[in-house]
């Protein structure tokens, strides 16, 4: 029988009141049994967060020196805080896609982030130019690879060319093309599963719980 345990340790806890020392608790440690399902969820959460951080750390760094700084690199210098752009299959004949859009926007809102999709955008020029601008300027980027849409792959590829990490997800059973096969792209079984996994991802990335 497989048995899993969670280990936790802590240092001295100092208690004070407006700068006055009033006592302390000694260091300690504890171990508790943990279920396989709970361990799997924790491992998934940590591995996804680690992959996101590795993406961020490996992002292209802008060249701030000399005349070699390009317009592309300059886009990395600024973004609109509290914004997200959603890249996904759009088809009015597929009602489940509307459910995906709604839950993604809902979860981002829980973290104080306003998420939009391409069909939310007001534009006078071509929609492609507006999408490019959103990818450049948004703080967070989310992509659902369900449906294997060429437009979504194009948008994700453009984001990666800027050195911007993208939160990738896909419905269970969706094939990932070789361009992104090495990237962290968890599957979701249902809308509720997507909601839970996206919450965990954003909690790890922002280091805060939903509002």
């Amino acid at each position: 029988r497989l048995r899993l345990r969670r280990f936790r340790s802590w240092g001295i806890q100092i208690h004070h009141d407006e700068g006055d020392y009033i006592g302390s608790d000694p260091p300690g440690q504890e171990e508790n049994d943990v279920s396989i399902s709970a361990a799997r969820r924790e491992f998934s959460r940590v591995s996804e967060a680690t992959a996101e951080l590795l993406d961020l750390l490996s992002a292209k760094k802008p060249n701030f020196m000399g005349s070699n700084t390009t317009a592309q690199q300059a886009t990395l210098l600024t973004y609109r805080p509290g914004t997200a752009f959603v890249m996904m299959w759009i088809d009015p004949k597929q009602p489940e896609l509307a459910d995906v859009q709604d839950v993604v926007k809902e979860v981002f809102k829980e973290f104080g982030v306003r998420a939009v999709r391409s069909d939310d955008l007001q534009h006078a020029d071509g929609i492609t130019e507006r999408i490019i601008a959103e990818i450049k300027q948004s703080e967070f980027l989310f992509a659902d690879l369900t449906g294997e849409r060429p437009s979504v792959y194009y948008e994700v590829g453009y984001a990666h060319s800027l050195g911007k990490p993208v939160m990738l997800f896909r419905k269970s059973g969706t094939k990932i093309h070789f361009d992104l096969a090495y990237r962290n792209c968890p599957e979701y079984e249902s809308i509720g599963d997507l909601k839970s996994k996206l919450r965990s991802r954003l909690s790890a990335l922002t280091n805060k719980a939903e509002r």
Side-chain angles (χ1 to χ4, degrees):
R1 179 185 175 185
L2 179 63
R3 183 183 181 188
L4 301 175
R5 295 180 65 81
R6 178 186 287 113
F7 174 80
R8 187 170 72 93
S9 63
W10 57 91
I12 297 175
Q13 307 293 308
I14 304 296
H15 304 287
H16 61 87
D17 181 15
E18 297 183 354
D20 295 328
Y21 173 81
I22 59 176
S24 64
D25 295 329
Q29 62 184 41
E30 66 178 13
E31 287 189 51
N32 297 301
D33 288 330
V34 61
S35 67
I36 293 177
S37 60
R40 183 183 295 113
R41 287 195 301 271
E42 181 67 12
F43 178 81
S44 177
R45 183 187 69 80
V46 173
S47 61
E48 289 170 11
T50 301
E52 289 291 339
L53 288 173
L54 289 175
D55 269 351
L56 184 62
L57 292 172
S58 63
K60 295 178 181 177
K61 301 297 187 299
N63 177 9
F64 297 103
M65 304 300 292
S67 59
N68 293 327
T69 301
T70 64
Q72 176 187 9
Q73 290 171 329
T75 63
L76 297 178
L77 304 180
T78 60
Y79 62 83
R80 298 192 312 270
T83 59
F85 185 61
V86 178
M87 299 169 275
M88 61 176 290
W89 183 14
I90 300 176
D91 185 349
K93 297 179 182 179
Q94 304 286 339
E96 66 272 15
L97 297 176
D99 295 334
V100 170
Q101 175 192 209
D102 290 344
V103 78
V104 169
K105 289 182 177 180
E106 176 187 335
V107 174
F108 271 107
K109 186 176 181 181
E110 292 173 359
F111 289 83
V113 177
R114 178 178 178 270
V116 298
R117 200 172 65 168
S118 61
D119 52 347
D120 297 321
L121 303 176
Q122 301 295 324
H123 60 94
D125 300 321
I127 184 61
T128 301
E129 287 74 16
R130 192 70 182 88
I131 290 172
I132 292 299
E134 286 297 315
I135 292 173
K136 289 180 180 177
Q137 298 167 10
S138 296
E139 180 178 5
F140 297 98
L141 297 174
F142 171 96
D144 187 336
L145 301 183
T146 302
E148 305 169 49
R149 311 307 294 172
S151 58
V152 176
Y153 271 81
Y154 170 82
E155 292 160 11
V156 172
Y158 179 71
H160 285 161
S161 76
L162 296 178
K164 300 190 70 171
V166 183
M167 286 176 274
L168 301 175
F169 286 87
R170 57 181 167 140
K171 189 174 182 179
S172 179
T174 298
K175 177 184 176 182
I176 300 182
H177 295 276
F178 75 95
D179 310 73
L180 297 177
Y182 71 99
R183 299 272 182 173
N184 178 41
C185 183
E187 294 183 303
Y188 60 87
E189 300 289 342
S190 64
I191 294 297
D193 189 30
L194 171 61
K195 190 174 189 178
S196 175
K197 288 178 177 176
L198 182 54
R199 273 179 177 158
S200 295
R201 180 78 69 89
L202 283 172
S203 180
L205 285 177
T206 62
N207 198 30
K208 62 183 179 181
E210 63 272 18
R211 293 184 179 180

